[in-house]
Amino acid sequence: MDDRQFRNAMGKFATGVTVIATEVEGEGVHGMTANAFMSVSLDPKLVVISIGEKAKILDKIKQSKLFTVNILAADQQELSMIFAEQIKENKEVVFERLDGKPVLSGSVVQIACEVSAEHVEGDHILFIGKVTDIKIDDVEPLVFYSGRYRSLAEEQPVTI
Ligand code: FAD
């Protein structure tokens, strides 16, 4: 099996899109687009994210021991592209705070976490986050499927 086939197969799992954000004191906020996100446990409340070993955000999360997961809304594709380096020019992004941690306003859900464990698995590092606060805004999510951004609205059947 080659890398392309593996990527294509994994891309057939439709997901939402998140921006993971963290902040090291004195260095400002750093964000990265990620769809490798999953709920892990209800008691205690835990989530997991998977970060590539070459990502700049990796050392920042190790240092700060905190991150937020911002589930993007349908109208936030540009933010996904900014934090995945798909838009190259520097754009200023304003973060607000949840439990003192940096979050993106307008997201469907903001989840504030403290790192409770990390595991190296192949070329990625899994961070388990203990959830310290959550904010929900009931808006439509951005969807990622087969390497393309989508919205739930476009998949809805036309009713006559
Ligand atoms: P950088 O490349 O430095 O940062 C990414 C971009 O964000 C840069 O353009 C930077 O200028 C900008 N940026 C960072 N902070 C700020 C700020 N405060 N204000 C404004 N701009 C800022 N990779 C994974 O490891 N795991 C995943 O689960 C994952 N899922 C992905 C899902 C999708 C849909 C896409 C498109 C990409 C995904 N990636 C994932 C790839 C990842 O988003 C990119 O490789 C990313 O560029 C790596 O970020 P970095 O931490 O190395 O930081």
Side-chain angles (χ1 to χ4, degrees):
M1 180 208 324
D2 66 12
D3 291 0
R4 177 45 55 196
Q5 189 184 16
F6 184 81
R7 275 171 181 266
N8 287 348
M10 297 306 121
K12 296 296 179 193
F13 187 55
T15 66
V17 182
T18 79
V19 169
I20 309 296
T22 193
E23 185 173 33
V24 175
E25 228 181 295
E27 289 183 19
V29 178
H30 189 91
M32 189 196 88
T33 300
N35 64 349
F37 160 70
M38 175 175 95
S39 161
V40 171
S41 159
L42 187 60
D43 184 19
K45 292 180 180 52
L46 302 173
V47 297
V48 64
I49 56 170
S50 177
I51 306 287
E53 64 186 358
K54 293 190 180 131
K56 296 190 191 81
I57 200 169
L58 181 61
D59 283 339
K60 294 176 188 285
I61 295 178
K62 283 177 184 240
Q63 248 183 287
S64 66
K65 302 260 182 252
L66 64 88
F67 62 87
T68 66
V69 181
N70 302 270
I71 300 177
L72 297 186
D75 64 1
Q76 291 182 311
Q77 182 178 326
E78 189 186 23
L79 284 177
S80 175
M81 296 179 78
I82 289 172
F83 289 106
E85 260 196 313
Q86 292 169 326
I87 293 176
K88 300 281 182 195
E89 72 264 30
N90 280 350
K91 294 223 174 185
E92 197 194 334
V93 178
V94 178
F95 287 83
E96 54 182 39
R97 300 274 153 184
L98 179 70
D99 190 33
K101 303 171 182 73
V103 287
L104 287 170
S105 65
S107 308
V108 184
V109 178
Q110 304 167 339
I111 307 167
C113 300
E114 284 164 7
V115 173
S116 73
E118 60 179 85
H119 306 276
V120 179
E121 294 296 340
D123 57 11
H124 275 59
I125 290 79
L126 306 181
F127 287 99
I128 308 292
K130 182 171 175 278
V131 176
T132 58
D133 206 351
I134 277 186
K135 191 174 155 204
I136 303 172
D137 189 359
D138 211 3
V139 293
E140 288 289 301
L142 182 62
V143 174
F144 197 69
Y145 176 69
S146 215
R148 269 186 50 205
Y149 293 104
R150 322 236 179 179
S151 70
L152 285 182
E154 77 191 29
E155 311 299 339
Q156 279 168 5
V158 179
T159 46
I160 302 165

